[in-house]
Amino acid sequence: MDTPHRIETIRAFNALSNQETLHPLVSVVDMSKAAPRKASSESVGFSMDFYTVFLKEVKCGDLRYGKNTYDYQEGTLVFMAPGQVVTIESSEDVLEPKGYGLAFHPDLIHGTSLGRHMQEYTFFGYQSNEALHLSERERQIVLDCLAKINYELQHAIDKHSKKLIVSNIELFLDYCIRFYDRQFITRNHVYQGVLERFEALLTHYFSTDMAQHNGLPSVSYCAEQLNLSANYFGDLVKKETGRSAQEYIHSRLIDVAKERLYDRNKPITQVADELGYKYPQHFVRLFKQRVGQSPSEYRRSAGSEFNALSVH
């Protein structure tokens, strides 16, 4: 694949769809206005310097993030963050896009409520097989939100314009959070077994010398092993357990640490090393935060409990 094509401005984005530019930082596009494009035998990579959301109405090619195919079918929403490189592959001779797109530049939301909370919309970090599949009712809500944003773009700019545009984008993204929550439940067959596989992954990691050689398993590492993006994996674990993936890893780490602390012939520094801590004090700090005792205090109290039980 050649160097990805970079789309730097909303105006350039609009030009691809024969769309008039009504605002330099935000646009709602009707992709059916774009001229049909002849498919290339080569993969076409592109990135944009702004946030984009596509509501796809017809299948016209596959999207790829790296080696992973995006689950990008009819009736899905796809989210892309600034700078993400996406590749289009198609088996069709002619690409005829159909659907709608929302594009907004980070400069539009600086200093707003949306700007302060943008990191909460983690689906902009989702990758393979993680698009949002909409019901017909949800699709109508999406179209209604886009229509409200487009109405403001068509309206003469006044002192209310920016606030209303940004507020409607925030409302749209809040609906998308709700729809993803629904998808985690209704597409349970797709996600079934992820937690079990996550638990098995951690069991294998801590029962071998992987932690000692590679350090603590990161959320990104676990997600990659499970063929999910880190954000999607984290959100799925949070929905299922009420804890973040990092908290889940730490909880499992503490369980393993407690078991190993019963071996009094093993120095605490060795336990820390086996669990992937280069610096034992970091292990001691986490253990005390989670357990309320230092590892040495826990070892002493565990020994006292054992002796008390032996007496009785």
Side-chain angles (χ1 to χ4, degrees):
M1 185 183 72
D2 295 332
T3 302
H5 177 59
R6 180 182 173 190
I7 304 171
E8 299 183 42
T9 65
I10 296 294
R11 186 177 299 277
F13 174 75
N14 287 335
L16 294 174
S17 300
N18 296 320
Q19 191 86 18
E20 180 184 1
T21 298
L22 302 174
H23 193 292
L25 298 178
V26 59
S27 179
V28 175
V29 301
D30 180 351
M31 290 184 287
S32 66
K33 293 182 179 180
R37 295 189 292 274
K38 190 172 182 179
S40 171
S41 59
E42 298 292 329
S43 299
V44 180
F46 64 94
S47 69
M48 291 168 279
D49 289 0
F50 38 85
Y51 294 97
T52 50
V53 184
F54 292 107
L55 171 60
K56 194 174 183 186
E57 299 285 343
V58 63
K59 188 171 177 62
C60 59
D62 292 327
L63 291 182
R64 285 186 176 274
Y65 282 92
K67 297 180 179 179
N68 298 316
T69 302
Y70 210 120
D71 189 350
Y72 188 42
Q73 305 167 1
E74 297 92 336
T76 58
L77 276 180
V78 175
F79 303 83
M80 300 178 191
Q84 286 181 327
V85 177
V86 178
T87 303
I88 297 179
E89 297 179 345
S90 178
S91 58
E92 304 293 330
D93 293 332
V94 177
L95 300 178
E96 296 187 18
K98 184 181 178 183
Y100 298 91
L102 168 66
F104 59 98
H105 198 280
D107 288 348
L108 176 74
I109 62 175
H110 288 324
T112 68
S113 171
L114 177 57
R116 290 189 293 273
H117 298 95
M118 195 63 204
Q119 72 279 359
E120 296 175 9
Y121 302 103
T122 50
F123 40 74
F124 279 100
Y126 290 176
Q127 293 184 12
S128 62
N129 302 312
E130 300 163 350
L132 177 55
H133 299 255
L134 300 172
S135 68
E136 182 56 33
R137 186 176 182 182
E138 290 168 348
R139 177 179 172 276
Q140 290 302 319
I141 292 174
V142 166
L143 291 175
D144 183 58
C145 288
L146 295 180
K148 285 183 170 64
I149 297 167
N150 196 45
Y151 171 81
E152 287 303 323
L153 293 176
Q154 298 282 348
H155 193 283
I157 295 178
D158 58 28
K159 64 181 182 179
H160 305 288
S161 297
K162 179 177 179 178
K163 180 179 180 180
L164 288 170
I165 290 170
V166 174
S167 295
N168 276 295
I169 293 174
E170 188 169 17
L171 175 64
F172 165 61
L173 297 179
D174 285 341
Y175 270 118
C176 291
I177 289 178
R178 169 185 279 180
F179 298 158
Y180 259 117
D181 283 352
R182 183 270 311 155
Q183 180 165 301
F184 280 124
I185 297 171
T186 59
R187 300 192 84 210
N188 186 58
H189 66 284
V190 178
Y191 317 123
Q192 193 171 15
V194 169
L195 283 180
E196 289 84 352
R197 289 160 55 207
F198 181 30
E199 183 67 29
L201 175 66
L202 293 178
T203 297
H204 175 71
Y205 199 94
F206 287 120
S207 64
T208 64
D209 59 0
M210 293 180 70
Q212 191 169 15
H213 290 297
N214 303 321
L216 286 177
S218 66
V219 174
S220 295
Y221 167 82
C222 294
E224 183 179 359
Q225 297 302 304
L226 299 172
N227 297 315
L228 297 169
S229 69
N231 281 350
Y232 196 80
F233 171 64
D235 287 347
L236 179 58
V237 172
K238 184 74 171 178
K239 297 293 186 304
E240 290 291 325
T241 69
R243 293 182 288 174
S244 71
Q246 187 66 62
E247 289 172 336
Y248 198 97
I249 292 170
H250 282 167
S251 178
R252 185 56 195 275
L253 168 80
I254 294 300
D255 286 341
V256 175
K258 285 180 177 179
E259 184 63 33
R260 296 187 184 183
L261 286 170
Y262 271 91
D263 183 354
R264 293 178 173 274
N265 294 320
K266 187 176 291 186
I268 290 173
T269 53
Q270 183 179 343
V271 173
D273 181 64
E274 290 176 354
L275 294 175
Y277 281 91
K278 184 177 179 180
Y279 302 105
Q281 61 267 33
H282 294 169
F283 164 68
V284 172
R285 185 182 304 122
L286 174 68
F287 192 94
K288 190 164 187 177
Q289 287 174 346
R290 299 297 296 260
V291 180
Q293 297 175 302
S294 69
S296 57
E297 289 170 338
Y298 177 83
R299 174 175 274 174
R300 286 196 297 271
S301 63
S304 298
E305 292 173 5
F306 178 77
N307 291 334
L309 288 172
S310 297
V311 171
H312 294 288

